[in-house]
């Protein structure tokens, strides 16, 4: 085994143990241990490992490598989106802070990546763009949830939330991309 494979295996084991610890829920009455969600997250990690092996062994064509980079980045972005949803749950009523937060953070991340790419690369289809911008940010941010939540406001006749959410999302989204580019320049 190479040093990288050993380090990856150690990281994977530590991450799985941490997930088991953080998702522990004990049942005081029956003294049973419940690890809700850990198996699902473990399966996602296995899927990521499988995808990484696919990248290593089956990427003789450049297109296949690009597709796999987007796939792995999108999977990680979707996992992070799910975790944000657990942190800021949305009941379907009131202001959708979860979607707004995820979209604005995604805009900032894509701004940082764009600033880096514009400064360092002439090719816009670098592995970083494929993995982080298209994959991760594409999986993390969600235009479909934004549109659905606005439609819900429209159906309910809640024009205040509809206009506020739409304008805040659009204006601050563009601002966050710009701030991400400035942030990247600051640390150059």
């Amino acid at each position: 085994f190479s040093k990288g494979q050993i380090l990856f295996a150690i990281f994977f084991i530590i991450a799985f143990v941490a997930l088991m610890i953080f998702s522990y829920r004990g049942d005081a009455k029956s003294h049973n241990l419940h690890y809700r969600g850990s198996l699902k997250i473990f399966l996602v990690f296995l899927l990521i490992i499988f995808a990484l092996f696919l990248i290593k062994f089956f990427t003789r064509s450049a297109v296949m490598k690009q597709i796999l980079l987007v796939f792995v980045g999108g999977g990680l972005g979707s996992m992070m989106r799910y975790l944000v949803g657990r942190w800021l749950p949305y009941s379907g009523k009131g202001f959708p802070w979860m979607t707004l937060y995820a979209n604005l953070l995604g805009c900032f991340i894509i701004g940082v990546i764009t600033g880096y790419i514009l400064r360092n690369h002439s090719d816009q289809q670098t592995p970083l763009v494929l993995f982080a911008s298209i994959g991760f940010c594409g999986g993390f941010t969600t235009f479909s949830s934004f549109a659905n939540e606005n439609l819900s406001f429209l159906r309910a006749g809640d024009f205040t939330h509809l206009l506020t959410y739409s304008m805040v999302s659009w204006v601050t989204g563009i601002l966050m991309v710009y701030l991400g580019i400035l942030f990247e320049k600051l640390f150059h």
Side-chain angles (χ1 to χ4, degrees), residues 36-48:
R36 293 187 193 168
S38 293
L39 183 60
K40 292 177 187 174
I41 295 173
F42 178 70
L43 291 174
V44 170
F45 272 119
L46 286 178
L47 183 63
I48 292 169

Side-chain angles (χ1 to χ4, degrees), residues 4 12 51 62 73 89 139 157 183:
F12 178 75
F183 181 80

